[in-house]
Amino acid sequence: MLREELDVHDATRTAQARTGRFEPRLVDRTAPRGALSDTRTIGEVQARDRRYRRTLAAADILATLVALGLAAIPYGRMLPAMALLAVPLVVGAAKVAGLYDRDELLIRKTTLDQAPQLLQVATLTAFGVWLTGPWPAGRLQLLVLWAALLVGTLVARRTARGIVARFVPAERCLFVGDAVDYERLRGKLSGPSAHATLVGRIAVRMAGDYEGSGDEVEELGAAIAETQAHRVIIEPQVLPAEEMLDFVRAVKDLGMRVSLLPRVLDVVGTAVEFDELDGTTVLGVRRFGLTRSSLLVKRAFDLAVAIPALLVLSPLMALLALAIRVDSGGPVFFRQIRVGRDGRPFRIWKFRTMVADAEQRKDELRKLDAGADGLFKLRRDPRTTRVGRLLRQSSLDELPQLINVLRGEMSIVGPRPLVVDEDAQIKGWDRRRLHLTPGMTGNWQIAGSGRVPLQEMVKIDYLYVAGWSLWLDLKILLRTVPHVFARRGV
């Protein structure tokens, strides 16, 4: 078994191409030399892709059959054979939408991002089943079929990807770029959501002209064979535009999966539109911030989630309040000044999880700080009470923030609400994260709020503001649920 986490050493092999353009630094020295030829490596890549495609197709077929069975329940009898046309309809629509070919393009193979396309597939299938009668499909039956198809394909696809990931090794990625971005990307791939690992780096020097053939390609192929890479991740900024086009084409000609790491998206986010001008692609960048109508939509979403949540969870919150009083006495709630939208301070509400004098003891515990750079966070905080430890592990201490949401001081999803001394460290353009109301959850929460350095976290928040959509809020909220149940927040 090859290690999934590899150390980078300065004293790695440096092989200089005869043209003087490449300086390969192959990081993974645990890979057996000459273990794979180029042909076998490409075959392994194609086999991985086929396994994902076929498993996803099987998941869609199973989900469709289950949905048809559930749709038959309102009528208490089996559906006619014509209803089975839904199976090829689902598979065909998913293929046309690119839902089977998408995984080979991605390092992080997600299911929730496909929900809009799966919604279209479910709608088209329900309509097609209704058209192909003759069975008396009523409104309730079609609604059950539509809902079961949407939920079923989402669940089945996520399960299928999880199963495949258990039986195939982590995707091995060879990086072309500088050492700083290599380390940054390596940290991103170390999380549980990406079934991939970096196995090496090639530094490309900015000198001469690249022909896209000859010794350079031969050396790149040797690097791929030596590291047994399945994918090549390229930082486009390492070469001039024309030379980078030839380089990418050369990598694709080797049969490798290719991913690009464009730094411009670190500023504009993913909310861009591709504009094609007679063979030239132009990216249309959305304005920063939200319009008044978008702010109203976001506020309506907050109230639509917070009000029912408070009504449903109020008995649980009362029990938690009682447990806190019995366990340690003192106040039930902990309130603290945080920096809100446009820099306005507000008091955040939480269930108290620490002893009453926790703030006074903060300075003496700073030497034990295990948080990320710029954030104060202790892994085993001695100030935490017994009930408080359970509340923090389950994130139930955050529930009173629903009061902040009702008051308009917080949002369900948004940038992380920082304390005053942490906010003072944020400078320049990163302060524009305060354009939106801070949230109970966000991308920072899913990434592991205490493990993400402060400067990295504010960039995540900036990109959230730059690319906001209602669907983005819904995705983050849905991803928070398994994150909380997995108790990854501590």
Side-chain angles (χ1 to χ4, degrees), residues 313-323 351:
L313 296 173
S314 55
L316 173 61
M317 294 174 68
L319 290 175
L320 294 177
L322 179 61
F351 280 126

Side-chain angles (χ1 to χ4, degrees), residues 93-94 97-99 102 110-124 146 149-151 153-154 157 469-472 474-475 478-479:
L99 295 178
R102 176 176 176 269
T110 60
T111 300
L112 193 56
D113 288 336
Q114 295 180 323
Q117 291 94 336
L118 291 175
L119 175 64
Q120 295 173 1
V121 170
T123 303
L124 176 63
W146 174 81
L149 272 176
L150 177 59
V151 176
T153 49
L154 281 169
R157 279 174 162 259
S469 69
L470 185 60
W471 168 236
L472 176 61
L474 186 58
K475 279 198 302 183
L478 292 175
R479 283 174 176 160

Side-chain angles (χ1 to χ4, degrees), residues 369 371-376 418-419 421-423 425 452-455:
D369 185 8
D373 182 29
L375 298 173
F376 179 82
L418 297 177
V419 296
D421 59 340
E422 292 172 349
D423 179 75
Q425 302 178 48
V452 180
L454 179 63
Q455 294 303 318

Side-chain angles (χ1 to χ4, degrees), residues 273-302:
E273 292 293 335
F274 288 89
D275 191 7
E276 196 273 327
L277 302 176
D278 295 329
T280 299
T281 302
V282 180
L283 292 182
V285 180
R286 202 183 75 179
R287 56 173 285 186
F288 183 86
L290 276 63
T291 62
R292 291 182 180 180
S293 59
S294 295
L295 289 172
L296 288 175
V297 169
K298 185 170 177 59
R299 180 60 179 160
F301 175 76
D302 290 339

Side-chain angles (χ1 to χ4, degrees), residues 9-119:
H9 302 287
D10 292 333
T12 52
R13 180 180 67 91
T14 299
Q16 184 68 36
R18 283 187 288 273
T19 58
R21 291 202 41 80
F22 286 91
E23 184 187 353
R25 302 177 188 268
L26 303 180
V27 180
D28 182 5
R29 311 310 298 168
T30 64
R33 305 293 182 269
L36 293 178
S37 64
D38 289 345
T39 302
R40 186 176 172 188
T41 302
I42 295 171
E44 185 177 317
V45 171
Q46 294 173 344
R48 289 173 58 90
D49 294 340
R50 284 195 301 270
R51 185 169 296 184
Y52 274 104
R53 285 196 301 268
R54 292 171 180 175
T55 307
L56 289 176
D60 287 343
I61 292 172
L62 178 61
T64 305
L65 293 175
V66 172
L68 289 172
L70 292 175
I73 293 177
Y75 286 85
R77 61 176 182 269
M78 296 295 293
L79 296 179
M82 285 291 291
L84 293 177
L85 290 175
V87 175
L89 185 58
V90 166
V91 175
K95 176 63 178 178
V96 171
L99 295 178
Y100 298 128
D101 304 316
R102 176 176 176 269
D103 279 19
E104 71 180 53
L105 306 178
L106 303 177
I107 300 172
R108 181 172 176 263
K109 307 180 192 304
T110 60
T111 300
L112 193 56
D113 288 336
Q114 295 180 323
Q117 291 94 336
L118 291 175
L119 175 64

